[in-house]
Amino acid sequence: MKALFKSTMILALGFVAFTACEDDNDSNPTIAQPTKFVLNEPAITGNIDLEKTATIALTWSQPTPYTNFNTPVVPTYWVEMSPTGNFTKAFDPNAEDNSGADYFAFDETYSNGMNVELNSQTLNRNLLQLLGWTEATTPAIQQVWVRVKSALRDASFNEYSVIYSNAITLSTVPYYVELKPADPEIWWLIGADIADGSWGGDMGKCVIPMQTLNGAEYDKKTGQGEIQWIGYLGGNGFKLRGSLDDGWATQWGQGDAFGSYKKNDGGSGNITVPEAGLYTITLNTAKDDLVIEKYDGSAPVFAGMAISGSFNGWSDTPMNACSTGWENHDWYISYTFAAGDEVKVKQADSWDFNKGGTFVNYSQGMYVYGESNGANLVIAEAGTYFIFFNDITGYIRFIKQ
């Protein structure tokens, strides 16, 4: 299950130590356990068609107080749902045996407000996993109880002062879909060293996706595993983002020095390499392990890159260089194809360097580990695609618009 938002608790005054000491006094912030908070009834009513409804808006009151002495501490929230309303055993997507499980805790966490747009497709998929429906057994109506969990988390992600809201009931119209392995979890690079260096959100121009690794295995339920990017870093600073629309809730930054990295810490620094050059960035999303090291392979610098194929008479349609102020190895273009179009990525004005192969299908499009002089890439579904290409790795990614 792909996460929509992944974040840790924001501590407005930095790290808070949870202690109980004899020398505590009125000036020491201590955690006070809230007794209740309220999940409001949503504005949407009646039978909610999960296939036709994009999101369900949920809002709740803040559990107070979490501290005394006016120390602001913002909790982390989780949404949980149950088809029985009992919430006795959580479904574990990675467990072999989920017998007796009667509720599902969404992977996403929230710490930037007391509201969320709950993704209806995710809710439907969770119901399918939890209840094991087939196409024939998917019911016309399914009652779902939803509640919100609130807790404080320390630097080691230990939870404190856990409290649950009331549960509200939703009447849903579920639908059956074949559950497929989750897409690999992909993070994005952004910053002064990346693309145009503007820290903007435009794909290609400002942010670059990391890449899956050929032959690597990814968790079928979470999509987690090892992803990578190879390219030029100038030492001006950058970060990793888990999503481009979560308000920076998911990110990797730098700790005290290069080589020390922090996840989901809004106060972390920009990652700054000690000297300019080619680097390999490797992130294991399952282990939360980030490694950045010098790249020791060869990397020719191309003046231009293009897409070519049956759609343009095998002429060149130029791609855009992601980086224009320094050494560039990433390229992008948006293009509309017809079904059956054939395409390759190639060096501008030459076939000496060209990449093809066979697509791996993605829920958002497709990708390929480009092979030199490989087979023509065939577009199965007509549409507009955003194309990324890295000329060091040969990785080509098509994102359906």
Side-chain angles (χ1 to χ4, degrees):
M1 176 170 60
K2 191 175 181 181
L4 300 175
F5 302 95
K6 294 181 179 178
S7 63
T8 60
M9 177 186 72
I10 298 174
L11 299 178
L13 296 182
F15 176 74
V16 172
F18 299 92
T19 59
C21 306
E22 292 182 1
D23 60 353
D24 275 348
N25 55 55
D26 290 341
S27 65
N28 290 332
T30 58
I31 302 302
Q33 173 66 44
T35 57
K36 66 179 293 187
F37 73 108
V38 177
L39 174 61
N40 301 316
E41 291 290 337
I44 189 170
T45 59
N47 296 329
I48 304 170
D49 191 327
L50 297 181
E51 187 172 15
K52 297 179 181 179
T53 304
T55 60
I56 303 169
L58 299 178
T59 62
W60 55 87
S61 64
Q62 183 175 0
T64 55
Y66 259 120
T67 67
N68 62 12
F69 202 62
N70 297 320
T71 303
V73 179
V74 179
T76 297
Y77 300 105
W78 294 258
V79 175
E80 300 178 345
M81 72 90 183
S82 169
T84 66
N86 293 327
F87 296 97
T88 55
K89 179 182 177 182
F91 180 90
D92 181 356
N94 296 310
E96 294 295 330
D97 181 12
N98 272 295
S99 56
D102 66 351
Y103 78 95
F104 208 113
F106 287 69
D107 280 349
E108 299 81 21
T109 62
Y110 312 94
S111 59
N112 57 354
M114 291 165 286
N115 60 84
V116 64
E117 294 288 334
L118 189 66
N119 186 280
S120 298
Q121 291 184 356
T122 303
L123 174 57
N124 188 78
R125 185 168 61 249
N126 291 349
L127 285 170
L128 287 172
Q129 286 186 273
L130 181 61
L131 298 173
W133 291 329
T134 65
E135 188 170 10
T137 61
T138 301
I141 301 293
Q142 175 65 53
Q143 298 298 311
V144 176
W145 283 259
V146 178
R147 72 180 185 183
V148 177
K149 171 186 170 183
S150 174
L152 305 181
R153 300 170 78 183
D154 64 15
S156 299
F157 298 97
N158 297 310
E159 297 176 7
Y160 298 85
S161 298
V162 177
I163 185 174
Y164 296 91
S165 75
N166 57 300
I168 62 171
T169 307
L170 303 177
S171 180
T172 68
V173 179
Y175 61 97
Y176 179 78
V177 290
E178 191 71 31
L179 292 177
K180 299 178 181 179
D183 289 339
E185 181 180 323
I186 297 296
W187 285 61
W188 297 78
L189 301 175
I190 185 172
D193 275 345
I194 305 301
D196 68 357
S198 68
W199 294 89
D202 294 338
M203 292 194 303
K205 179 182 177 183
C206 310
V207 291
I208 301 172
M210 296 183 70
Q211 307 162 9
T212 56
L213 296 178
N214 196 4
E217 293 186 359
Y218 298 88
D219 189 288
K220 293 181 179 179
K221 296 175 181 177
T222 66
Q224 293 180 331
E226 196 169 77
I227 56 177
Q228 195 174 84
W229 175 82
I230 300 175
Y232 182 86
L233 298 173
N236 302 300
F238 69 96
K239 281 191 171 185
L240 281 66
R241 293 191 66 178
S243 172
L244 301 181
D245 58 4
D246 68 351
W248 286 87
T250 49
Q251 61 173 284
W252 278 93
Q254 186 165 293
D256 295 334
F258 178 73
S260 171
Y261 309 113
K262 293 182 177 181
K263 182 183 179 184
N264 297 342
D265 183 342
S268 64
N270 299 333
I271 301 172
T272 306
V273 296
E275 61 178 317
L278 293 173
Y279 284 83
T280 301
I281 302 175
T282 305
L283 174 63
N284 190 314
T285 58
K287 299 179 180 179
D288 278 342
D289 181 39
L290 176 62
V291 176
I292 303 173
E293 54 192 359
K294 274 291 194 73
Y295 175 68
D296 58 5
S298 60
V301 178
F302 294 95
M305 204 63 61
I307 55 172
S308 181
S310 59
F311 58 92
N312 64 1
W314 295 99
S315 61
D316 283 5
T317 298
M319 300 185 77
N320 303 295
C322 291
S323 302
T324 56
W326 48 86
E327 185 174 319
N328 178 70
H329 294 283
D330 290 280
W331 309 82
Y332 73 96
I333 188 175
S334 179
Y335 200 87
T336 301
F337 297 95
D341 277 348
E342 297 183 1
V343 60
K344 275 192 171 182
V345 176
K346 63 182 287 293
Q347 179 182 354
D349 302 320
S350 174
W351 283 94
D352 290 345
F353 178 93
N354 70 86
K355 297 291 182 179
T358 303
F359 279 128
V360 176
N361 290 326
Y362 222 9
S363 67
Q364 295 181 334
M366 52 269 192
Y367 62 89
V368 61
Y369 306 102
E371 303 171 9
S372 296
N373 300 310
N376 298 338
L377 299 168
V378 180
I379 307 297
E381 183 178 346
T384 301
Y385 293 84
F386 201 96
I387 306 170
F388 284 100
F389 174 65
N390 182 289
D391 62 35
I392 300 177
T393 64
Y395 182 90
I396 309 168
R397 182 178 175 187
F398 281 59
I399 301 176
K400 191 85 163 9
Q401 300 298 285

